[in-house]
Amino acid sequence: ELEEIEELDEDVEEIELDEDEELEEVDELDEDELKALEEFREKKELAEHFDDTLGQREKKLNKYVTVPEGKYTIGTKKSLKSSMELQLFDMPKVYIGMYPVCNSLFEIFIEQTGYTTTAENQGYGRVYHSSLKKDANGLTWNKHAGSEDIKGACWYHPFGPDSNLHGKRNHPVVQVSVDDAVTFAAWIGRRLPTEAEWEAAARTDLGYKYPWGNKFNPNALNIEQSGVSDTCAVDEYDAFANEFKIVEMLGNVMEWTADMETPSIESKKNIRYNIAKGAAWNSKQDITISSRALFKPGFTSNTIGFRCISEIFS
């Protein structure tokens, strides 16, 4: 019996030592690490709170999927001034929206915060019209193709004051600026992807040219040739998701990234432009995952939306 008691005492001592060691490990966290930990907890709470307020349909549209850590091929060999150079990118493990942010999710943000978007503040947004439109006779030429700044165009009037979101709650939100996208992402505890992160997630570790493979498929995305002449539901092309189950990384809308760039063309002002990736419903067939475009800060249109990314899963 005495021997058994001594053995128990040794166990207690071991447990106490383990607890002391854990306390020492916590004490070793410096101020920056503690701040980062607190920020992570706050973001996690925001993300979980937002998801908890959603119905089943919205929960699906707010789903996030895993992008594994690893080396990813991004960029292109094409010698285009506006293209990102072909390179390997060290991708951290992140979680990215399965879909671009849709109107119903953005509406919740507006209702709960009272936020006013860039287009609403400036009083107009750029409106694009497709060259082709599908009707009973097939594809027809649209003589009003092109773009113009329309007064009153905003996220809930994407083509101008005569348009609305009827039947578009599950369409990607458009007429939003980078600032609008960043504010929404922060409100749900997330952020915008960098260009490299966006492209790595789209191409996957297989390095595909298109989300579904290396061969173009006009039936796998919403572009000008589709004849829709507008956005479609974000889950319209679920069957053509990439290997990570991410949908619509090409077609329907271009997507804002967190990156900016000064064009190589010489300019007196040296303005830094926001980078948008992918392709929209009015794009031609010569687009790939590496496609990108530069827009001035504050730019909004009915062809650009966004999706969120973070280190938080929900």
Side-chain angles (χ1 to χ4, degrees):
E1 289 179 0
L2 287 172
E3 286 175 358
E4 287 178 5
I5 290 169
E6 288 174 357
E7 287 174 5
L8 283 171
D9 288 339
E10 289 174 2
D11 290 341
V12 171
E13 288 175 2
E14 287 178 8
I15 292 169
E16 290 174 350
L17 282 171
D18 289 342
E19 289 175 351
D20 289 342
E21 286 170 2
E22 287 177 10
L23 287 171
E24 286 175 8
E25 287 177 9
V26 173
D27 291 338
E28 287 173 4
L29 289 174
D30 60 30
E31 189 174 336
D32 289 340
E33 289 172 328
L34 287 169
K35 184 179 179 182
L37 181 62
E38 184 60 30
E39 286 178 355
F40 177 84
R41 286 173 177 165
E42 288 176 2
K43 289 176 180 177
K44 192 171 189 302
E45 287 176 5
L46 287 170
E48 290 175 346
H49 173 72
F50 181 66
D51 196 65
D52 288 342
T53 64
L54 305 177
Q56 284 304 117
R57 175 62 175 161
E58 281 74 25
K59 279 183 184 291
K60 183 208 171 184
L61 301 178
N62 188 50
K63 188 174 180 180
Y64 284 74
V65 295
T66 306
V67 180
E69 179 183 1
K71 288 189 178 294
Y72 290 71
T73 300
I74 59 173
T76 177
K77 288 181 179 178
K78 291 182 180 179
S79 57
L80 300 175
K81 290 182 178 179
S82 62
S83 296
M84 185 165 56
E85 183 182 347
L86 185 68
Q87 58 191 281
L88 282 177
F89 171 62
D90 287 320
M91 182 75 168
K93 181 181 178 180
V94 292
Y95 305 98
I96 192 167
M98 179 183 283
Y99 305 105
V101 174
C102 65
N103 287 311
S104 62
L105 298 181
F106 196 77
E107 184 178 23
I108 293 170
F109 160 65
I110 296 295
E111 287 178 347
Q112 294 195 19
T113 64
Y115 180 81
T116 306
T117 63
T118 300
E120 290 173 283
N121 286 327
Q122 63 189 12
Y124 67 90
R126 179 69 55 84
V127 173
Y128 288 85
H129 301 280
S130 179
S131 300
L132 298 173
K133 185 172 179 63
K134 188 179 289 184
D135 57 23
N137 299 315
L139 288 176
T140 58
W141 183 259
N142 179 12
K143 63 180 180 180
H144 300 296
S147 69
E148 57 184 326
D149 290 333
I150 299 290
K151 288 184 178 180
C154 62
W155 75 272
Y156 52 91
H157 293 310
F159 279 80
D162 294 333
S163 64
N164 56 55
L165 298 182
H166 179 68
K168 288 186 173 184
R169 288 182 58 79
N170 58 351
H171 286 221
V173 63
V174 293
Q175 293 292 5
V176 286
S177 68
V178 168
D179 287 345
D180 299 333
V182 166
T183 305
F184 172 90
W187 187 69
I188 63 168
R190 303 187 188 275
R191 60 183 174 84
L192 287 188
T194 64
E195 180 182 12
E197 288 174 333
W198 188 98
E199 188 165 326
R203 296 180 70 165
T204 75
D205 49 0
L206 299 175
Y208 282 151
K209 190 176 180 180
Y210 307 101
W212 54 84
N214 286 320
K215 186 177 179 181
F216 183 73
N217 182 354
N219 299 314
L221 73 174
N222 177 20
I223 54 174
E224 183 181 66
Q225 194 66 28
S226 308
V228 178
S229 296
D230 196 355
T231 56
C232 64
V234 295
D235 56 355
E236 180 76 18
Y237 294 92
D238 274 359
F240 300 98
N242 71 7
E243 292 292 321
F244 296 155
K245 306 302 180 187
I246 311 171
V247 183
E248 291 200 348
M249 293 297 263
L250 204 58
N252 212 14
V253 291
M254 297 190 75
E255 298 178 13
W256 290 122
T257 71
D259 290 343
M260 301 184 76
E261 185 175 294
T262 302
S264 56
I265 301 171
E266 291 187 9
S267 171
K268 293 180 180 179
K269 295 183 179 179
N270 282 330
I271 299 173
R272 285 172 60 78
Y273 287 68
N274 297 118
I275 299 173
K277 292 290 291 180
W281 51 265
N282 65 334
S283 296
K284 308 295 183 184
Q285 291 191 22
D286 60 348
I287 43 87
T288 68
I289 288 172
S290 295
S291 299
R292 69 204 291 253
L294 306 179
F295 298 95
K296 288 183 178 181
F299 181 83
T300 74
S301 81
N302 59 337
T303 59
I304 309 177
F306 68 99
R307 79 178 70 214
C308 302
I309 196 172
S310 73
E311 291 67 40
I312 301 161
F313 182 76
S314 71

